[in-house]
Amino acid sequence: EGKQELKRLFDGVGVFDGPKPVKLLKTLGLIANLSDGDMILDFFSGSSTLAHAAMELSKESGDCYPFIMVQIPEAVDSCSEAGKAGYLTICELGEERIRRAGKMIAAKIDKTDRRHEPDANPKPNPDLGFRVLAIDSSNMKNAYFTPEETVQERLLDVVDNLKEGRTGFDLLFEILPKFRIPYSAKIE
């Protein structure tokens, strides 16, 4: 069942061997008695079936189930269906599944939306967005030197202590946890 779901999402291509069915993970979520706002964490996310299930549960219940998917960027065999489709890592495959599942859920909502009918009481739309974060080194150059290590020739090196090639988002996502701001905070 899980493989067929992925084939439908990926236009008939079987991009992952042995994915779990969304229905099974939704059932486990119901058995776990999830409450609105409960965080769902998957340390071995693979094709991100649990993210797909969390979005489906959010749509059906009107509650919000934020999720964190963790996956080592393991390389995809270039001869596999996923490799032939252009995916380099399992992470890329999971990200694409979340995107496609979100679009599919949004399309279902659009088809069944009755908010413009008289006496309609529609459920709120679930949050179908997500962010991808990767572990990396700090965005800052080492600017902490003891007085003995400080020499006048190197003072200009510490005027701007940002590493080359880092973006504003790189800096933002490095300081969010330092100030205990959740990654899910609205960013403008």
Side-chain angles (χ1 to χ4, degrees):
E1 186 177 334
K3 197 166 191 162
Q4 293 306 313
E5 288 170 348
L6 267 184
K7 275 187 164 183
R8 282 191 298 276
L9 271 178
F10 284 85
D11 306 319
V13 179
V15 293
F16 205 79
D17 293 330
K20 297 171 280 305
V22 171
K23 191 162 107 178
L24 171 66
L25 295 182
K26 284 171 48 177
T27 302
L28 291 175
L30 295 173
I31 291 170
N33 201 22
L34 289 173
S35 298
D36 188 23
D38 282 354
M39 180 70 65
I40 298 172
L41 174 65
D42 187 349
F43 269 116
F44 303 99
S45 65
S47 70
S48 295
T49 307
L50 191 53
H52 186 163
M55 291 188 301
E56 288 272 350
L57 282 172
S58 293
K59 177 191 108 209
E60 292 166 8
S61 69
D63 291 339
C64 178
Y65 302 112
F67 53 84
I68 297 174
M69 302 288 109
V70 180
Q71 180 62 51
I72 294 171
E74 184 179 333
V76 170
D77 181 1
S78 60
C79 296
S80 70
E81 292 297 318
K84 291 175 187 173
Y87 299 101
L88 301 177
T89 66
I90 293 175
C91 294
E92 289 178 3
L93 186 61
E95 291 169 30
E96 185 61 21
R97 186 211 186 124
I98 296 170
R99 276 186 206 95
R100 289 176 184 231
K103 285 179 184 175
M104 181 188 72
I105 292 167
K108 284 181 186 176
I109 291 170
D110 289 343
K111 285 181 184 174
T112 60
D113 188 5
R114 299 178 50 214
R115 71 182 74 227
H116 301 296
E117 294 179 16
D119 301 323
N121 190 13
K123 294 177 184 170
N125 288 339
D127 180 359
L128 301 174
F130 68 102
R131 292 191 173 123
V132 177
L133 303 174
I135 297 175
D136 199 351
S137 62
S138 173
N139 296 302
M140 311 295 183
K141 296 177 192 172
N142 184 5
Y144 299 106
F145 301 106
T146 64
E148 298 80 33
E149 295 173 319
T150 305
V151 292
Q152 191 167 1
E153 294 83 33
R154 288 180 41 196
L155 287 178
L156 291 177
D157 290 341
V158 295
V159 170
D160 183 12
N161 65 338
L162 298 179
K163 290 182 179 175
E164 296 292 321
R166 301 302 169 110
T167 68
F169 279 117
D170 293 333
L171 299 173
L172 175 66
F173 282 100
E174 181 171 345
I175 65 161
L176 286 176
K178 292 178 181 177
F179 288 101
R180 295 187 175 162
I181 299 170
Y183 288 120
S184 59
K186 184 176 180 181
I187 298 170
E188 293 185 14

